[in-house]
Amino acid sequence: MPEKIVFSTTANLYKNENLLPNNGKMLIEKAREACQGAYSPYSNFCVGAALILEDGEVVTGANQENAAYPSGLCAERSAIYWAGANHKGKKIKAIAVTAHRTGEDKFLAVSPCGSCRQAMLEYEHIQEGNIEVLLESDGGVLVFPSVASLLPLQFDKKSL
Ligand code: THU
């Protein structure tokens, strides 16, 4: 018989976003505002991300699509790469992500794609500190303690 191995993760669901710790409520609100920067004529799906640096500065991003579909970029990577390029060496404390359909007000549950998880993980390793991940969810905001917790069996520089 093979040995069964369970890979699991845990998050906290805040049904009342006013109770989010630290700057959580502000950050999810900034992510919602950031959706306005989405350029998503192909999917009609607007994603916003907002991250907070150790000095309290907030960096936002939104998905940018392209007629050559794979050339587009997700909201999370647009925010984290901008922070990497412009705030090198500053720790990222948390990132919030949300989404809505074009022309609709309702914010939707969203979960970072695999490429964004991998990209965010790199920064968690560089800074040797967790980046909390706040996700718009059905009935509240989900808070994961780290990017690593969203990426079991991760591939990183130790794998090389
Ligand atoms: N997208 C993001 O920006 N972040 C995610 O975590 C998931 C997907 C974008 C990519 C594309 O512009 C649109 O959403 C539909 O996939």
Side-chain angles (χ1 to χ4, degrees):
M1 284 292 280
E3 183 187 350
K4 186 166 281 181
I5 302 176
V6 177
F7 298 95
S8 63
T9 196
T10 306
N12 288 318
L13 175 65
Y14 286 84
K15 293 180 184 165
N16 178 351
E17 63 192 47
N18 292 315
L19 301 180
L20 283 164
N22 307 318
N23 296 294
K25 183 174 162 65
M26 177 274 292
L27 208 57
I28 195 79
E29 284 175 346
K30 290 280 184 194
R32 289 171 186 153
E33 279 172 39
C35 289
Q36 292 168 22
Y39 171 64
S40 50
Y42 304 104
S43 70
N44 290 315
F45 193 69
C46 306
V47 187
L51 61 82
I52 185 162
L53 300 166
E54 59 187 338
D55 61 4
E57 186 161 341
V58 173
V59 170
T60 61
N63 54 329
Q64 305 296 313
E65 298 185 350
N66 193 282
Y69 290 3
S71 301
L73 193 66
C74 292
E76 298 90 321
R77 275 177 289 164
S78 79
I80 209 153
Y81 287 158
W82 202 94
N86 295 290
H87 297 284
K88 194 171 178 173
K90 273 194 216 163
K91 286 191 177 169
I92 300 163
K93 306 295 286 180
I95 184 167
V97 192
T98 188
H100 67 79
R101 293 194 188 92
T102 303
E104 295 183 12
D105 296 336
K106 187 178 182 292
F107 289 99
L108 303 170
V110 68
S111 184
C113 75
S115 295
C116 286
R117 292 176 197 213
Q118 185 70 31
M120 293 190 291
L121 182 72
E122 188 79 16
Y123 290 87
E124 201 164 76
H125 286 312
I126 297 169
Q127 68 181 34
E128 296 177 346
N130 290 0
I131 302 172
E132 261 189 358
V133 183
L134 285 69
L135 302 180
E136 189 87 61
S137 183
D138 293 324
V141 176
L142 273 175
V143 182
F144 290 83
S146 63
V147 177
S149 67
L150 275 172
L151 199 55
L153 281 185
Q154 56 188 247
F155 181 88
D156 60 20
K157 64 184 179 189
K158 292 196 294 295
S159 317
L160 294 171

